[in-house]
Amino acid sequence: MEWTHLIVLALIQGLTEFLPVSSSAHLILPSQLFGWPDQGLAFDVAVHVGTLAAVVLYFRTQLREVAVGWTRQLTGHGSSPESRLGWSVIAATLPILVVGGLLANWIELTMRSMTVIALTTIIFGLLLWWADRLGKRSREMPQIDLRAALLIGLAQVIALVPGTSRSGITLTAGLLLGFTRQASARFSFLLSIPLIAAAGVFKGVELWQTGGVDGWRDPLLGAMISFVTALVCIKAFLALLDRIGMLPFVIYRLVLGGLLLLVL
């Protein structure tokens, strides 16, 4: 890969994986707009590993507490807020794994177009703004029960369509269910862990089937850049979220979607 392409794509993955602006859309756009060659499976796997490492590192304490609480419940010590959060993450993850497994190839062939990205960028940006305006923002993370988790998980299925944004649609669902911005965002980040891991494994198997990696320089640099970028992005997003709300991301989505429609 050219250095410019490598750096830009790794930065895009690190910045947009956790912001409500759609990382898949931004990774598709450079090739559509500028004619860049496909970055290849090895690079895709590497930048996913980088963002996964970043979110695991940031939430390492909470993940450890969830793992301990969940294990204790399985061994007969009763439920706890941590174990219930673990079950909620599982419940919210199952719908997209099932639907994604069934429809991933069809979505890949029919919906990775600039028209779809432009429309979903605008539509779900407006929906995010509406949820942020109308949501009561009174419920905290301990109140995320299995029902709420399943509803957020069902909303997450829509993120299979490029341009929707996985983080954006889960934030939208959380806000509409009355959760605070922080609770919605943190639960969305936790949901990203099994999904990024699953995507990495899926792409890794595909990479192995196609003959492995030709060279390690590009994937390694991509992973490092996406890791640092994603870690900074997570910290900044959670620190600024209550102050700035969702409006800056909504405006960005509307501008981006409008520009794409003009290009088309």
Side-chain angles (χ1 to χ4, degrees), residues 48-254:
H48 276 82
V49 169
T51 51
L52 176 62
V55 70
V56 168
L57 178 64
Y58 187 87
F59 287 98
R60 61 190 182 280
T61 301
Q62 189 169 24
L63 289 172
R64 182 168 59 249
E65 292 172 350
V66 168
V68 170
W70 195 60
T71 303
R72 285 178 60 82
Q73 183 179 5
L74 290 179
T75 55
H77 289 83
S79 66
S80 64
E82 293 77 18
S83 67
R84 289 192 290 273
L85 179 58
W87 287 116
S88 294
V89 170
I90 293 172
T93 303
L94 287 176
I96 195 169
L97 291 181
V98 173
V99 177
L102 294 173
L103 300 179
N105 290 335
W106 178 78
I107 291 171
E108 182 80 16
L109 292 173
T110 60
M111 294 192 177
R112 289 176 69 89
S113 71
M114 201 183 298
T115 302
V116 171
I117 292 171
L119 293 176
T120 53
T121 296
I122 293 171
I123 292 169
F124 290 104
L126 290 172
L127 186 60
L128 177 62
W129 172 79
W130 180 65
D132 195 39
R133 291 269 295 178
L134 295 185
K136 294 181 179 179
R137 301 204 298 267
S138 59
R139 302 171 71 186
E140 298 293 345
M141 274 194 72
Q143 296 173 278
I144 299 179
D145 54 16
L146 288 178
R147 175 182 173 276
L150 186 58
L151 289 173
I152 294 172
L154 290 172
Q156 188 172 230
V157 172
I158 305 171
L160 291 168
V161 180
T164 301
S165 171
R166 190 209 60 82
S167 59
I169 198 65
T170 51
L171 280 167
T172 299
L175 291 167
L176 287 176
L177 289 170
F179 290 98
T180 64
R181 290 169 177 160
Q182 286 288 330
S184 300
R186 289 179 177 273
F187 190 64
S188 175
F189 286 142
L190 291 176
L191 290 184
S192 73
I193 294 173
L195 288 183
I196 297 174
V201 170
F202 179 78
K203 288 178 178 290
V205 171
E206 190 176 348
L207 177 65
W208 177 76
Q209 291 174 340
T210 56
V213 183
D214 292 333
W216 288 101
R217 187 205 67 174
D218 291 356
L220 183 59
L221 287 175
M224 292 171 62
I225 293 171
S226 66
F227 167 76
V228 173
T229 308
L231 190 59
V232 172
C233 181
I234 294 170
K235 290 182 177 181
F237 182 71
L238 291 176
L240 296 173
L241 181 57
D242 287 328
R243 192 184 313 167
I244 65 174
M246 299 298 170
L247 186 58
F249 306 104
V250 173
I251 293 173
Y252 173 80
R253 292 182 68 125
L254 295 180

